[in-house]
């Protein structure tokens, strides 16, 4: 029995034997911060966005508290250069909106303010408190938090103090607050210790926190993959059992989370963590089923796609969700294609078209795939059947296809994963790099069977009824 499975079973046993999910709640009570003065940390204003500094300065000038908060402070402490900067304040969203003409209030479940400076957006959040604490203290509020039957927070707009805000943050390494008043860092959850230990630790009871917002399980994975940290055992223990709660999360939100997980330059490590903790099975059920069924080279192709994505991000080259999703769902497509061809007698082209629609239909309730990505993804798949046909005028026409490069890259990816395509990638590499004369010679040779696949006769369909897409 693996250590992960043993910890998950032990955690489940404690729950069945009567341990209440709120037993650990005292650990979420506001605590006095550990204040790290300027001469004891490495954060410099030179590494902080000018826009974030302007937001903090104007809030302070308006009589409000303002702190750089969360991941940006964590990354600065680790010597990294954050891409995004968030600010926390005691000003309400309406008060923030009055200070900044270039801002707008967004969100329902969690109302925040976006302050725009050109293409840069600074996210400003009001200090939050738990609804239960607000009620018990008789604090008036116009915004109520509500929970679903599974414990998920449907509203989270109860405002509070900085201490309460720190207590309701997710992980200790995200409960840092940096102020430009005296340039100190306020550590409310002993996060500095966990940075040194290189671990992701939940603030409060992990089960309750995951039930409040199941996406926190993905965030634990994301931080572990991004930072190369371990997930603290008690924080990791409930994940496998609570993974199905992700099905209650809005599909559009999960699509955004997938991009954060797998398109941030640490995709391979993150994918392996998703598989290890049983989350990949929930996010990509068709792909998981194909891997479990032994679809050849399924996992290898996904890992190689992520390796290539990570490399492109390091080189600051563009990446697109269409290509990544084409790879993530390819094993499910191949398995469904094989079934349609074997059981219903379909030829390759209609089998691919029907399989593509079924795989996408299966995925959409879990993670939305906007049409601007799903259509190119289909075209990449369709090119996998068109590129092997290397004779005749249609080969020359493919050079003008808007997805040729992506389809060709996908062929190379399949070969890189170990699939034998008869030198297809090499042929198209030479064809794309050749002049008109070389291309004509290659196509004529392919038509004679000298290189590539000979022209195939179109076969009549062997099936009568086409399943609905």
């Amino acid at each position: 029995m693996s250590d992960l499975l043993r910890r998950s079973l032990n955690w489940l046993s404690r729950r069945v034997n009567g341990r209440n999910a709120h037993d650990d709640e005292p650990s979420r009570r506001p605590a006095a911060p550990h204040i790290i003065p300027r001469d004891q940390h490495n954060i410099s204003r030179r590494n902080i966005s000018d826009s974030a500094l302007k937001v903090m300065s104007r809030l302070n000038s308006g009589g409000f508290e303002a702190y750089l908060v969360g991941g940006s402070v964590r990354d600065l402490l680790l010597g990294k250069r954050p891409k995004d900067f968030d600010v926390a304040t005691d000003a309400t969203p309406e008060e923030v909106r009055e200070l900044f003409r270039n801002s707008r209030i967004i969100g329902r479940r969690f109302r925040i303010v976006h302050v725009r400076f050109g293409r840069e957006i600074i996210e400003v959040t009001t200090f939050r408190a738990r609804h239960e604490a607000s009620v018990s203290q008789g604090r008036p509020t116009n915004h109520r938090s509500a929970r679903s039957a599974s414990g998920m927070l449907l509203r989270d707009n109860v405002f509070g103090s900085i201490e309460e805000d720190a207590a309701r943050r997710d992980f200790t390494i995200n409960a840092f607050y940096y102020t430009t008043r005296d340039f100190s860092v306020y550590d409310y959850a002993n996060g500095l210790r966990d940075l040194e230990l290189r671990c992701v630790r939940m603030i409060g009871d992990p089960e309750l926190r995951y039930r409040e917002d199941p996406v926190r399980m993905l965030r634990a994975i994301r931080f572990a993959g991004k930072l190369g940290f371990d997930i603290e055992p008690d924080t990791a223990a409930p994940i496998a059992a609570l993974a199905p709660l992700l099905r209650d999360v809005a599909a559009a939100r999960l699509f955004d989370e997938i991009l954060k997980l797998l398109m941030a330059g640490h995709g391979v490590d993150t994918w392996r963590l998703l598989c290890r903790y049983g989350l990949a099975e929930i996010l990509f059920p068709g792909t998981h089923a194909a891997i479990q069924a032994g679809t050849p080279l399924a996992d290898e192709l996904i890992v190689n796609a992520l390796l290539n994505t990570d490399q492109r991000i390091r080189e600051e080259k563009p990446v697109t969700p269409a290509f990544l999703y084409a790879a993530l769902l390819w094993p499910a497509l191949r398995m469904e294609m094989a079934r349609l061809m074997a059981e219903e007698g379909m030829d390759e082209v209609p089998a691919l078209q029907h399989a593509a629609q079924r795989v996408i239909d299966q995925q959409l309730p879990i993670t939305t795939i906007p049409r601007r990505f799903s259509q190119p993804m289909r075209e990449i798949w369709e090119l996998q059947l068109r590129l092997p046909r290397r004779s005749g005028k249609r080969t020359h026409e493919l050079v003008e296809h808007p997805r040729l490069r992506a389809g060709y890259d996908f062929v190379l990816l399949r070969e890189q994963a170990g699939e034998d395509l008869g030198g297809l990638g090499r042929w198209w590499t030479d064809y794309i790099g050749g002049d008109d004369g070389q291309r004509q010679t290659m196509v004529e040779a392919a038509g004679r069977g000298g290189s590539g696949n000979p022209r195939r006769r179109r076969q009549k369909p062997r099936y009568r009824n086409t399943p609905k897409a």
Side-chain angles (χ1 to χ4, degrees):
M1 182 184 298
S2 70
D3 290 341
L4 175 62
L5 179 58
R6 184 179 295 106
R7 287 199 301 270
S8 189
L9 290 174
N10 289 340
W11 169 85
L12 187 60
S13 175
R14 292 198 301 270
R15 290 293 183 256
V16 171
N17 289 327
R19 181 184 173 189
N20 189 285
H22 296 270
D23 288 349
D24 288 343
E25 282 304 277
S27 65
R28 288 181 63 190
R29 292 171 184 165
H34 169 51
I35 301 175
I36 309 168
R38 175 65 188 93
D39 60 354
Q40 294 181 24
H41 65 73
N42 62 329
I43 296 178
S44 168
R45 280 173 293 170
R46 290 193 298 270
N47 298 326
I48 299 174
S49 157
D50 288 340
S51 301
L53 293 172
K54 288 177 184 176
V55 169
M56 296 168 70
S57 176
R58 190 176 300 179
L59 284 167
N60 288 156
S61 297
F64 299 106
E65 295 181 62
Y67 297 83
L68 201 65
V69 66
S72 58
V73 185
R74 176 200 67 225
D75 288 349
L76 288 166
L77 288 170
L78 289 171
K80 301 177 182 292
R81 296 294 295 266
K83 293 183 179 179
D84 302 307
F85 293 87
D86 299 336
V87 172
T89 179
D90 58 347
T92 66
E94 291 76 16
E95 289 170 332
V96 175
R97 179 71 182 86
E98 289 179 5
L99 285 174
F100 298 94
R101 290 183 180 180
N102 53 328
S103 68
R104 65 189 184 102
I105 299 173
I106 67 167
R108 279 183 160 183
R109 177 181 173 272
F110 193 93
R111 295 172 70 242
I112 60 179
V113 181
H114 278 178
V115 184
R116 181 180 291 276
F117 296 85
R119 300 180 64 180
E120 184 179 13
I121 293 176
I122 303 300
E123 193 169 278
V124 182
T125 60
T126 304
F127 297 146
R128 256 60 173 187
R130 289 166 44 229
H131 175 68
E132 293 83 354
S134 178
V135 170
S136 67
Q137 296 168 18
R139 183 183 304 156
T141 177
N142 293 324
H143 306 286
R144 297 180 63 99
S145 61
R147 296 177 187 268
S148 69
S150 65
M152 185 167 66
L153 283 174
L154 305 177
R155 292 284 188 276
D156 193 9
N157 290 307
V158 177
F159 304 142
S161 66
I162 184 173
E163 292 83 7
E164 291 169 316
D165 189 75
R168 56 164 297 287
R169 288 191 171 270
D170 48 13
F171 304 104
T172 61
I173 57 175
N174 289 341
F176 294 111
Y177 296 73
Y178 171 82
T179 175
T180 53
R181 288 190 185 277
D182 61 4
F183 311 112
S184 296
V185 173
Y186 289 69
D187 177 5
Y188 280 90
N190 216 356
L192 196 60
R193 172 204 61 188
D194 287 335
L195 285 184
E196 294 170 351
L197 292 175
R198 301 180 63 80
C199 81
V200 178
R201 186 190 309 272
M202 182 67 75
I203 298 174
D205 178 63
E207 181 196 5
L208 178 63
R209 305 308 307 282
Y210 292 144
R211 288 189 180 278
E212 287 177 345
D213 185 358
V215 168
R216 286 175 179 145
M217 291 184 280
L218 300 182
R219 286 170 60 81
I221 298 295
R222 176 155 63 93
F223 295 136
K226 172 185 175 180
L227 301 173
F229 284 15
D230 294 323
I231 303 177
E232 184 267 332
D234 286 344
T235 301
I239 292 178
L242 298 181
L245 293 177
L246 287 171
R247 298 190 181 111
D248 297 331
V249 177
R253 187 181 179 204
L254 283 185
F255 176 78
D256 291 339
E257 291 297 328
I258 291 297
L259 301 191
K260 293 176 186 177
L261 283 160
L262 301 180
M263 297 185 68
H266 311 277
V268 175
D269 292 338
T270 303
W271 173 255
R272 286 171 175 153
L273 287 169
L274 288 172
C275 294
R276 176 184 175 188
Y277 288 100
L279 298 174
E281 176 180 353
I282 303 298
L283 297 172
F284 298 98
T287 296
H288 175 77
I291 293 174
Q292 293 299 108
T295 299
L297 306 175
D299 190 62
E300 291 89 340
L301 182 130
I302 292 172
V303 168
N304 277 286
L306 292 168
L307 280 170
N308 292 346
T309 299
D310 291 346
Q311 181 64 28
R312 290 183 67 84
I313 290 171
R314 283 193 293 271
E315 295 172 357
E316 298 185 348
K317 294 180 179 179
V319 293
T320 171
F323 191 88
L324 181 60
Y325 261 76
L328 288 167
L329 299 179
W330 178 252
L333 176 79
R334 291 290 299 271
M335 186 169 72
E336 179 63 12
M337 271 186 70
R339 188 192 69 78
L340 290 171
M341 294 171 69
E343 297 180 8
E344 303 189 27
M346 287 191 186
D347 290 333
E348 272 189 330
V349 173
L352 183 144
Q353 293 170 344
H354 285 76
Q357 188 61 54
R358 290 186 180 182
V359 167
I360 291 172
D361 286 345
Q362 181 187 46
Q363 186 64 31
L364 286 179
I366 304 163
T367 64
T368 296
I369 309 175
R371 184 171 177 79
R372 67 183 184 277
F373 300 131
S374 64
Q375 186 57 38
M377 178 177 70
R378 286 175 179 268
E379 294 174 10
I380 290 169
W381 288 341
E382 290 168 358
L383 281 168
Q384 302 312 295
L385 298 187
R386 295 181 65 182
L387 289 174
R389 298 170 183 172
R390 292 164 280 179
S391 62
K393 183 173 64 175
R394 287 178 296 183
T395 303
H396 299 304
E397 293 172 349
L398 273 179
V399 175
E400 304 301 323
H401 195 291
R403 309 297 174 203
L404 173 65
R405 182 70 198 196
Y408 159 71
D409 286 344
F410 203 84
V411 165
L412 297 181
L413 178 67
R414 292 167 61 194
E415 291 182 333
Q416 184 183 6
E419 190 172 351
D420 184 2
L421 298 179
L424 183 63
R426 180 73 248 177
W427 192 93
W428 274 101
T429 299
D430 293 340
Y431 183 87
I432 291 171
D435 58 29
D436 290 344
Q438 291 170 323
R439 289 179 176 181
Q440 185 61 36
T441 300
M442 291 178 68
V443 169
E444 290 174 356
R448 296 191 301 267
S451 175
N453 295 336
R455 186 189 301 272
R456 297 182 182 179
R457 278 190 176 182
R458 185 178 180 85
Q459 297 181 356
K460 293 182 179 180
R462 296 188 299 244
Y463 57 92
R464 293 182 179 179
N465 298 319
T466 301
K468 292 184 180 180

